[in-house]
């Protein structure tokens, strides 16, 4: 008989979901220090930022493979192995003085993060029915801004002592590993008097539903591109409005990010709505936000517009995850979640060069955001119209 999931599993999965963001949130304050430490390394201006971004690239490249392993080998074994690797390999830069060695360790950490993200998202679908799953995903989004802020503050404080000190934050993976070992069980889809039908066996009985993937992947990529534009370029948005102090910019970014908590609460209140309506709402908020950034002529106006974008992020992200987990059958849920993670993080790398291209064409960052905002508004109305047409 499959074990029921409850609060212990939900809280553990929320804590697991915080680990992949550690590479950015916990190390972002360390970036100027790293640039100074490795200034004599050839191409250091290109290579040093990869200390932060390389794990995300690995998530984009290897999440699909992690999903295949999770479906065939099991969620729990892969997750526990990845958590151990995350903690030990995350600490590796403490032993190195070479940028090449640091980057090699970051690549391996990225492999672990791809497995953690894929298994965590898959277990949301395995453990909880749809309504409870959406509720927990809303709680996960509420915790995101708080964990980001705490990790950023801790990373900044540690960076004042030594360039490698922020990597001690990877020790957080060890208590999370213990919680996962104690509270997360391998899901069993069905059982009989003699044996249980595992996910691996289910995988062998059917082919992967590519028709579902072809529907989810392009929507995820498009939303991801819009999602990461503000996430990555928030500092430049405030700089374009005249904020020249990095400290003030950081305070503003932290303040507007709190709007994501309100967005998560909104998602929880509307979680029973169809995914198309939730995505339409989120894209509409993005559209107003980005057009607002375009039209803003003061820091307060830009902050309000940016806050609306943060609000939107906590609606579209759990909506996409919930849609993916509901759409794929249990036997292929790991691969489906892995494919989603790969496409979503691929959007991170498409987002920056696309915005740069638009910036050159539009002669300025605010105008480029305005163009993306108009496209988001069109996508919001189109999504809602298609949903209504399908219901009639």
């Amino acid at each position: 008989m499959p074990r029921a999931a409850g609060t212990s599993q939900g809280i553990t999965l929320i804590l697991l979901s915080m680990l992949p963001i550690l590479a950015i949130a916990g190390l972002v304050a360390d970036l100027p220090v790293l640039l100074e430490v490795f200034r004599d390394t050839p191409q250091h201006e290109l290579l040093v930022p990869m200390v932060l971004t390389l794990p995300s690239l690995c998530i984009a490249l290897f999440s699909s493979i992690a999903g295949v392993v999770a479906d065939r080998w099991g969620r729990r074994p892969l997750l526990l192995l990845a958590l151990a690797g995350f903690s030990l390999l995350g600490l590796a830069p403490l032993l190195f003085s070479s940028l090449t060695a640091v980057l090699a360790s970051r690549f391996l950490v990225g492999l672990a993060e791809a497995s953690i993200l894929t298994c965590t998202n898959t277990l949301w679908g395995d453990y909880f029915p749809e309504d409870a799953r959406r509720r927990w995903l809303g709680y996960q989004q509420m915790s995101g801004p708080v964990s980001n802020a705490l990790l950023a503050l801790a990373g900044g404080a540690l960076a004042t002592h030594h360039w490698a000190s922020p990597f001690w934050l990877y020790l957080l993976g060890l208590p999370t590993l213990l919680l996962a070992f104690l509270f997360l069980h391998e899901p069993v889809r069905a059982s009989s008097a003699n044996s249980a039908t595992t996910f691996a066996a289910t995988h062998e009985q059917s082919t992967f539903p590519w028709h579902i993937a072809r529907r989810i992947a392009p929507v995820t990529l498009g939303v991801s591109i819009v999602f990461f534009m503000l996430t990555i370029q928030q500092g430049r948005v405030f700089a374009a409005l005249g904020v020249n102090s990095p400290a003030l910019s950081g305070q503003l970014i932290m303040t507007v990010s709190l709007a994501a908590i309100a967005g998560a609460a909104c998602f929880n209140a509307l979680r029973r709505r169809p995914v198309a309506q939730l995505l339409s709402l989120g894209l509409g908020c993005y559209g107003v936000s980005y057009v607002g950034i375009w039209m803003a002529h003061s820091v307060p106006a830009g902050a309000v517009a940016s806050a609306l974008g943060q609000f939107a992020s906590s609606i579209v992200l759990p909506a996409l995850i919930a849609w993916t987990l509901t759409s794929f059958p249990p036997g292929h849920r790991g691969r489906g979640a892995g494919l989603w993670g790969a496409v979503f993080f691929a959007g991170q790398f498409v987002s920056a060069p696309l915005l740069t291209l638009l910036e050159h064409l539009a002669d300025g960052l605010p105008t480029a955001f305005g163009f993306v905002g108009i496209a988001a508004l069109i996508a919001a109305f189109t999504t809602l119209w298609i949903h209504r047409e399908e219901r009639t």
Side-chain angles (χ1 to χ4, degrees):
M1 188 89 180
R3 280 182 279 175
T7 303
S8 297
Q9 287 71 34
I11 293 175
T12 302
L13 291 177
I14 286 177
L15 293 174
L16 286 171
S17 71
M18 296 178 183
L19 296 182
I21 67 173
L22 199 158
I24 299 295
L27 301 178
V28 66
D30 199 29
L31 183 58
V33 182
L34 291 170
L35 286 167
E36 179 63 23
V37 168
F38 295 109
R39 65 184 182 277
D40 295 329
T41 303
Q43 303 294 321
H44 77 284
E45 292 182 345
L46 173 65
L47 295 175
V48 169
M50 292 179 66
V51 174
L52 276 68
T53 60
L54 192 56
S56 295
L57 177 61
C58 290
I59 293 175
L61 293 177
F62 298 109
S63 288
S64 293
I65 298 174
V68 173
V69 175
D71 280 340
R72 293 186 176 181
W73 186 26
R75 283 73 150 127
R76 189 173 185 270
L78 177 61
L79 178 60
L80 296 179
L81 178 62
L83 285 168
F86 174 87
S87 297
L88 298 178
L89 295 168
L91 295 172
L94 292 163
L95 306 175
F96 301 143
S97 58
S98 163
L99 180 58
T100 301
V102 171
L103 289 174
S105 71
R106 302 302 289 159
F107 176 84
L108 296 175
V109 167
L111 296 180
E113 289 187 3
S115 299
I116 292 170
L117 178 72
T118 299
C119 291
T120 300
N121 283 339
T122 305
L123 287 173
W124 282 124
D126 293 337
Y127 284 164
F128 297 100
E130 185 172 1
D131 184 62
R133 181 191 310 151
R134 292 193 181 195
R135 185 178 70 252
W136 277 107
L137 288 172
Y139 295 153
Q140 175 182 305
Q141 288 302 116
M142 289 181 186
S143 66
V146 177
S147 61
N148 277 343
L150 292 176
L151 287 171
L153 290 172
L158 289 169
T160 61
H161 298 286
H162 188 268
W163 69 266
S165 293
F167 291 95
W168 283 110
L169 290 172
Y170 278 87
L171 285 174
L172 294 171
L174 294 179
T176 313
L177 170 61
L178 177 61
L179 291 175
F181 179 81
L182 293 175
F183 297 121
L184 300 185
H185 54 273
E186 181 65 22
V188 178
R189 190 166 61 112
S191 59
S192 64
N194 298 319
S195 64
T197 301
T198 65
F199 287 99
T202 303
H203 179 90
E204 296 174 354
Q205 295 173 1
S206 61
T207 57
F208 184 73
W210 285 107
H211 63 286
I212 297 175
R214 285 192 293 268
R215 186 170 70 249
I216 291 175
V219 176
T220 297
L221 181 62
V223 174
S224 171
I225 290 171
V226 177
F227 176 95
F228 279 111
M229 277 188 178
L230 186 60
T231 301
I232 296 173
Q233 305 290 342
Q234 182 71 85
R236 293 187 63 209
V237 169
F238 286 129
L241 292 170
V243 178
N244 297 319
S245 167
L248 178 58
S249 180
Q251 292 170 11
L252 287 168
I253 292 172
M254 185 179 298
T255 300
V256 300
S257 69
L258 296 177
I261 299 175
C266 179
F267 172 83
N268 249 341
L270 302 175
R271 66 181 184 273
R272 293 184 177 88
R273 296 279 185 176
V275 168
Q277 291 182 8
L278 294 170
L279 290 178
S280 180
L281 173 61
L283 287 169
C285 290
Y286 270 130
V288 175
S289 168
Y290 289 9
V291 171
I293 289 172
W294 180 21
M295 304 299 293
H297 297 293
S298 67
V299 173
V304 171
S306 297
L308 183 58
Q310 298 291 343
F311 177 90
S313 68
S314 288
I315 295 176
V316 298
L317 184 54
L320 285 172
I321 296 174
W323 181 32
T324 301
L325 297 178
T326 302
S327 299
F328 285 99
H332 295 294
R333 190 173 281 144
R335 191 174 178 185
L339 178 65
W340 179 88
V343 173
F344 185 77
F345 279 90
Q348 178 180 356
F349 296 94
V350 175
S351 179
L354 177 59
L355 188 63
T356 300
L357 175 62
L358 290 174
E359 187 177 352
H360 287 300
L361 295 175
D363 194 27
L365 182 68
T367 309
F369 265 96
F371 286 173
V372 177
I374 293 171
L377 288 172
I378 294 172
F381 285 114
T382 302
T383 301
L384 196 58
W385 179 78
I386 292 175
H387 172 68
R388 288 178 176 175
E389 286 294 310
E390 289 178 346
R391 294 184 63 185
T392 58

